[in-house]
Amino acid sequence: YRIKAIVEKEFQKPINSLFSYFEETPLASASIGQVHKAKLLNTENEVAVKIQRPDLNIIFNEDLAILR
């Protein structure tokens, strides 16, 4: 996934207007999302940004249909 594009689409802003630093390589990854390290604007505080994979509702509905 193109993580920056997902973040920018969700917030409707360029990623550099949200964070002074954003690591594209995830710290952790799972089936429904991943976590990235970033720094908030106007501060040195590092944060963990959890990003849910796009279109999960479609995947969940397909999985539930299979189970039924």
Side-chain angles (χ1 to χ4, degrees):
Y1 297 119
R2 296 215 30 187
I3 294 304
K4 284 188 175 184
I6 292 170
V7 172
E8 289 175 344
K9 181 180 177 186
E10 185 67 27
F11 286 96
Q12 298 179 359
K13 294 181 180 181
I15 201 159
N16 61 0
S17 73
L18 300 166
F19 305 103
S20 62
Y21 171 79
F22 186 89
E23 178 62 47
E24 288 190 60
T25 304
L27 293 172
S29 184
S31 60
I32 65 168
Q34 52 197 56
V35 177
H36 295 263
K37 184 168 66 170
K39 281 189 180 178
L40 298 174
L41 288 175
N42 302 322
T43 180
E44 289 299 313
N45 293 336
E46 289 187 348
V47 295
V49 180
K50 184 177 178 183
I51 299 172
Q52 183 174 313
R53 298 194 191 283
D55 302 323
L56 279 180
N57 59 329
I58 295 168
I59 295 168
F60 290 151
N61 288 332
E62 288 173 355
D63 288 350
L64 289 172
I66 292 168
L67 286 172
R68 289 184 190 123

